[in-house]
Amino acid sequence: MQQTTKLFLRALTCSIPHLGKCMQRQSYYNFAGHYYNRIRLEKYHLQNKPKISELARNIPSRSFSCKDLLPIKPENEKSLSENMDAFEKVRTKLETQPQEEYEIINAEIKHGGFVYYQEGCCLVRSKDEEADSDNYEVLFNLEELKLDQPFIDSIRVAPDEKYVAAKIRTEDSETSTCIVVKLSDQPAMEASFPNVSSFEWVKDEEDEDVLFYTFQRNLRCHDVYRATFGENRRNERFYTEKDPSYFVFLYLTKDSRFLTLNIMNKTTSEVWLIDGLSPWDPPVLIQKRIHGVLYYVEHRDDELYILTNVGEPTEFKLMRTAADAPAIMNWDLFFTMKRNTKVIDMDMFKDHCVLFLKHSNLLYVNVIGLADDSVRSLKLPPWACGFIMDTNSDPKNCPFQLCSPIRPPKYYTYKFAEGKLFEETGHEDPITKTSRVLRIEAKSKDGKLVPMTIFHKMDSEDLQKKPLLVHVYGAYGMDLKMNFRPERRVLVDDGWILAYCHVRGGGELGLQWHADGRLTKKLNGLADLEACIKTLHSQGFSQPSLTTLSAFSAGGVLVGALCNSKPELLRAVTLEAPFLDVLNTMMDTTLPLTLEELEEWGNPSSDEKHKNYIKRYCPCQNIKPQHYPSVHITAYENDERVPLKGIVNYTEKLKEAIAEHTKEAGEGYQPPNIILDIQPGGNHVIEDSHKKITAQMKFLYEELGLDSTNAFEDLKKYLKF
């Protein structure tokens, strides 16, 4: 099969530019990232991919007909050198460990008998059986693009393997360039397209390869193009979305039968089918956008499988209909989820559909037999906190990885013939015997139970005297990120307690969990966070003088609000690219993402109720002379999602308030440290930056008066400085 990326993972990659103050990327379908790269685990080649996100915006719907989709004359475009910005920090390599090997490497894809991937600064391919050797063919040298540390984000191979397309990014911008290389005895770059988000190949009736791609401008993705190469070379605009609150994303169904044109915001979606055998024919509308209805489409045996929130309850459920009768009145309910269930991903096979789920903060895999509608639910190991999905063309097996913040990924395979889940054999990570994972709940002030995930050393004594690092996000219906991070592993090994608070506004318990923490319910997330920290302390996990709090992007809203309302709960805070000036940002419609953010934060420009509500929690609006925890902020100079101006404004106001309080407190008062570390570049969050990791850890240890010698020695086992 020419490509196996799943809709429910790929969409977030596209959506990241549209998730505003979110992480990634990641973002959308939390169909998820975002800029995830692969993790090579011993001999396995696995691609860490984004997951299925819950879309979270809305704007009045707009109807259109197929004539809207007719080719449009391309606008004049700037040259490649003028347009080529790019992306995120190239992933750091992890040191080889005695028990297992881990290496963060780049995107790869298998097609025919070859594997396509990045080796050094080159796009290369090798025979599948030689993928781990040095015997490969160089297809293109990325240095020809004259970019700083270019990085291959994703790869697509044309159906008959005449061409390969690769999306290239760099460390200091989120935009990317798509190159097309003609495969021959002497491979050469055939074309390049700037600012590409998603892209897919199909073959037309005359066996000509057609590349569809979306064009991104100012973090907005509204245009779809299609291009051919060789003697019939052309490049034409195929579709333009006119509603600025929506974005477009392309996905090729796993069987390559249809290319889907997905038009969506955070609360509403619309999908058109492009025939994978006749891509020049007009697309077919599945269902016109309906406010509040989300749906995503896969195909198998002339049937569409639709993951949607239509109907009650308004959580995701699986429906199906005949491909030639796609309208919503023909959708038949096929499978429903339990209450408090989050759909992480979906994968389609010849005779099975596999759902990756989170139910009550635990991971499950549901295997649905499509021939007899049987369902097998597999509860996964309690240490697991996240999935890493694998690109997979083997119809007999469903491979995936499980991970946690302190445990590197472990490989699992569900074999359909045996009806069993097989665990990778080999050395067991020692962290399983030296650490403990707990799942507890905190009662928020309205009685809602808020889940938490806690990690600490098994042999720790008197946990009340141990340092605590709390993580929170709580926005856009996105799960709190719990992928493996070596610095988190080091902290636990050094005696720290880690606590992940899954507050409302996030997506851990489904779509309603998000709805209960957005717009005029945003304060629920703040109440949840306060309840979580108080519950941790009351149950013997650390104390306020040893408690630290960490967040990035939109998570900064809740952290900044808590620092204003309950600063006595914390000793220190680390923030990365934090969203802190909600009111002024949402009133500035010149910013690229303001219109797309209205459904998450509200519209303070036109709605006085929204404006007054935002004023109640906006971190920048509620700073006052009082004692604050110490704060370390990492910001990026050209960040388009969270403008530096708002972060600088927050920092200056905070320092002024602290200075005023210091005068009032009198002699002997020790004011907190406020550090603003502005990094160059235009990326939003650089997860693997050694400089950032070491600066944040150094700050936390110094603020708590702890010796960091052992921690940094252990960190060197993972990171190459």
Side-chain angles (χ1 to χ4, degrees):
M1 205 162 288
Q2 91 109 350
Q3 66 87 31
T4 56
T5 303
K6 307 169 185 64
L7 168 64
F8 311 100
L9 292 176
R10 279 295 306 146
L12 183 57
T13 305
C14 152
S15 66
I16 292 296
H18 312 272
L19 286 179
K21 324 305 179 297
C22 94
M23 38 176 138
Q24 352 133 97
R25 74 347 225 117
Q26 301 152 47
S27 173
Y28 343 81
Y29 304 35
N30 207 6
F31 298 82
H34 111 180
Y35 319 136
Y36 296 117
N37 302 315
R38 288 187 314 103
I39 294 180
R40 176 180 288 163
L41 173 54
E42 295 182 343
K43 294 183 179 180
Y44 300 114
H45 300 274
L46 305 174
Q47 184 167 354
N48 185 357
K49 303 157 68 177
K51 302 171 186 172
I52 178 176
S53 91
E54 283 55 74
L55 315 186
R57 324 172 195 217
N58 163 47
I59 233 135
S61 62
R62 179 188 67 84
S63 62
F64 60 92
S65 65
C66 288
K67 61 185 179 182
D68 291 281
L69 296 157
L70 293 176
I72 304 169
K73 184 178 179 180
E75 297 173 346
N76 292 330
E77 296 177 359
K78 295 182 179 180
S79 67
L80 177 63
S81 60
E82 291 175 307
N83 280 289
M84 254 194 302
D85 296 322
F87 151 89
E88 141 184 279
K89 191 80 172 174
V90 177
R91 284 261 182 185
T92 314
K93 291 186 176 181
L94 300 180
E95 286 278 13
T96 298
Q97 298 177 309
Q99 69 274 19
E100 291 180 284
E101 295 178 359
Y102 303 99
E103 184 184 5
I104 302 296
I105 53 182
N106 301 327
E108 76 170 26
I109 192 167
K110 294 181 181 180
H111 184 92
F114 291 92
V115 180
Y116 295 77
Y117 57 98
Q118 180 177 346
E119 183 69 34
C121 60
C122 295
L123 170 64
V124 305
R125 71 174 176 179
S126 63
K127 292 183 178 179
D128 196 358
E129 63 272 14
E130 299 175 349
D132 286 322
S133 71
D134 292 330
N135 186 18
Y136 53 78
E137 176 188 8
V138 174
L139 304 177
F140 182 74
N141 189 335
L142 304 185
E143 291 182 346
E144 293 183 27
L145 299 176
K146 301 191 182 304
L147 300 174
D148 182 26
Q149 298 183 33
F151 173 84
I152 296 179
D153 174 69
S154 52
I155 301 169
R156 296 289 183 272
V157 183
D160 57 3
E161 230 163 344
K162 292 180 182 177
Y163 300 96
V164 59
K167 187 166 73 172
I168 315 298
R169 291 174 168 177
T170 68
E171 64 176 354
D172 51 16
S173 176
E174 294 191 44
T175 56
S176 58
T177 295
C178 180
I179 62 167
V180 177
V181 176
K182 184 177 182 179
L183 299 175
S184 62
D185 292 339
Q186 293 183 328
M189 186 170 73
E190 181 84 3
S192 64
F193 305 107
N195 305 316
V196 169
S197 179
S198 58
F199 61 110
E200 299 288 355
W201 290 99
V202 295
K203 181 188 288 189
D204 67 13
E205 303 92 324
E206 299 178 359
D207 289 336
E208 186 174 38
D209 294 313
V210 184
L211 180 69
F212 285 78
Y213 65 93
T214 56
F215 179 77
Q216 179 177 308
R217 183 187 294 110
N218 295 327
L219 297 181
R220 297 173 179 173
C221 196
H222 293 156
D223 297 317
V224 182
Y225 286 79
R226 57 187 173 190
T228 57
F229 309 95
E231 295 180 359
N232 296 322
R233 186 183 186 93
R234 75 182 94 173
N235 183 31
E236 61 186 18
R237 189 163 51 172
F238 172 70
Y239 172 77
T240 294
E241 172 57 33
K242 299 174 183 177
D243 190 324
S245 75
Y246 284 77
F247 69 95
V248 294
F249 175 76
L250 299 171
Y251 168 71
L252 188 65
T253 58
K254 189 171 180 181
D255 61 4
S256 301
R257 182 63 183 83
F258 291 104
L259 177 64
T260 61
L261 172 59
N262 301 273
I263 306 163
M264 63 192 70
N265 63 22
K266 288 283 277 181
T267 62
T268 305
S269 60
E270 177 176 282
V271 182
W272 293 71
L273 294 179
I274 299 169
D275 193 327
L277 303 177
S278 302
W280 302 104
D281 291 348
V284 175
L285 174 64
I286 293 182
Q287 173 57 48
K288 176 182 175 181
R289 63 191 77 172
I290 301 173
H291 173 60
V293 173
L294 298 166
Y295 70 98
Y296 314 103
V297 179
E298 256 293 357
H299 176 266
R300 169 193 172 270
D301 287 352
D302 296 326
E303 287 189 315
L304 301 178
Y305 287 79
I306 302 168
L307 192 64
T308 179
N309 68 334
V310 69
E312 294 294 335
T314 54
E315 299 289 346
F316 278 117
K317 51 194 73 71
L318 188 60
M319 309 185 86
R320 64 182 172 186
T321 185
D324 59 0
I328 195 169
M329 71 281 295
N330 299 315
W331 297 1
D332 293 326
L333 183 62
F334 180 57
F335 184 79
T336 57
M337 316 300 167
K338 294 180 180 178
R339 184 174 173 272
N340 292 334
T341 297
K342 165 73 176 286
V343 181
I344 303 295
D345 197 7
M346 182 177 83
D347 197 5
M348 189 66 65
F349 295 83
K350 182 178 182 297
D351 297 314
H352 298 86
C353 175
V354 180
L355 293 171
F356 299 87
L357 308 172
K358 179 181 288 185
H359 173 65
S360 297
N361 206 23
L362 291 170
L363 299 185
Y364 291 79
V365 168
N366 279 11
V367 181
I368 305 173
L370 300 179
D372 57 6
D373 292 350
S374 62
V375 179
R376 182 168 187 188
S377 183
L378 303 173
K379 184 177 181 180
L380 299 175
W383 63 262
C385 300
F387 292 101
I388 300 174
M389 314 313 299
D390 181 32
T391 54
N392 173 48
S393 57
D394 183 356
K396 298 179 181 179
N397 302 311
C398 179
F400 58 91
Q401 291 183 86
L402 297 177
C403 65
S404 85
I406 65 171
R407 175 171 175 160
K410 187 166 187 177
Y411 193 73
Y412 289 78
T413 300
Y414 185 84
K415 297 188 176 182
F416 298 115
E418 291 88 340
K420 294 180 180 179
L421 183 66
F422 290 84
E423 180 179 355
E424 169 213 358
T425 59
H427 297 288
E428 187 66 24
D429 194 306
I431 196 72
T432 59
K433 296 181 179 179
T434 61
S435 68
R436 186 181 183 193
V437 56
L438 300 171
R439 287 177 171 83
I440 66 173
E441 294 177 322
K443 181 178 287 189
S444 198
K445 67 179 183 179
D446 62 356
K448 187 70 70 174
L449 295 178
V450 184
M452 290 184 283
T453 308
I454 302 169
F455 303 89
H456 67 82
K457 284 185 72 174
M458 191 80 74
D459 59 359
S460 290
E461 297 180 358
D462 199 355
L463 291 173
Q464 194 170 17
K465 296 181 180 179
K466 298 296 182 182
L468 167 66
L469 177 60
V470 178
H471 295 266
V472 71
Y473 187 70
Y476 301 105
M478 302 289 292
D479 288 9
L480 183 57
K481 199 172 181 183
M482 299 185 70
N483 59 313
F484 172 65
R485 297 300 311 155
E487 63 271 24
R488 305 302 181 223
R489 166 77 165 257
V490 167
L491 290 176
V492 169
D493 285 340
D494 202 37
W496 284 66
I497 304 165
L498 301 185
Y500 290 76
C501 303
H502 310 294
V503 304
R504 281 174 284 184
E508 287 84 350
L509 297 184
L511 296 178
Q512 190 60 46
W513 197 247
H514 170 224
D516 288 342
R518 67 182 182 95
L519 295 176
T520 55
K521 295 183 179 180
K522 185 62 68 175
L523 283 169
N524 284 340
L526 177 59
D528 293 351
L529 178 58
E530 179 183 337
C532 286
I533 295 176
K534 288 181 176 179
T535 298
L536 289 166
H537 293 161
S538 67
Q539 294 195 16
F541 295 102
S542 196
Q543 54 188 288
S545 62
L546 293 173
T547 297
T548 64
L549 181 55
S550 179
F552 67 90
S553 196
V557 173
L558 297 183
V559 173
L562 187 70
C563 288
N564 288 330
S565 62
K566 295 291 180 182
E568 66 275 9
L569 294 177
L570 306 168
R571 176 66 185 87
V573 167
T574 63
L575 296 169
E576 183 176 6
F579 187 32
L580 297 164
D581 195 359
V582 183
L583 184 62
N584 289 324
T585 299
M586 293 309 300
M587 294 186 72
D588 186 353
T589 57
T590 65
L591 296 174
L593 295 177
T594 296
L595 292 178
E596 297 187 20
E597 300 299 312
L598 297 178
E599 280 298 310
E600 183 69 23
W601 311 101
N603 190 346
S605 296
S606 62
D607 191 320
E608 196 67 21
K609 179 182 177 182
H610 285 172
K611 183 176 182 179
N612 292 333
Y613 191 84
I614 291 173
K615 284 182 177 180
R616 292 172 60 188
Y617 68 81
C618 176
C620 216
Q621 296 293 318
N622 290 281
I623 294 172
K624 55 191 174 186
Q626 64 175 0
H627 177 74
Y628 277 90
S630 293
V631 180
H632 183 285
I633 301 175
T634 304
Y636 299 96
E637 189 174 13
N638 299 313
D639 190 338
E640 293 182 87
R641 298 178 187 280
V642 180
L644 182 61
K645 178 182 177 181
I647 298 175
V648 171
N649 182 39
Y650 171 85
T651 305
E652 291 176 349
K653 290 183 68 174
L654 184 60
K655 287 182 176 180
E656 291 173 1
I658 290 171
E660 184 177 344
H661 177 67
T662 300
K663 291 180 181 179
E664 296 172 353
E667 188 175 349
Y669 174 72
Q670 182 63 44
N673 294 310
I674 307 299
I675 300 171
L676 175 57
D677 180 14
I678 301 176
Q679 298 287 321
N683 198 17
H684 180 49
V685 174
I686 303 178
E687 189 173 27
D688 295 309
S689 165
H690 291 171
K691 182 178 180 181
K692 179 201 72 177
I693 291 170
T694 54
Q696 291 178 346
M697 285 186 61
K698 182 174 181 290
F699 170 79
L700 293 177
Y701 272 88
E702 288 181 350
E703 288 300 320
L704 270 59
L706 303 175
D707 184 1
S708 62
T709 303
N710 291 336
F712 279 103
E713 286 299 318
D714 287 344
L715 194 60
K716 290 178 183 178
K717 297 177 183 178
Y718 296 90
L719 303 179
K720 291 182 179 180
F721 292 92

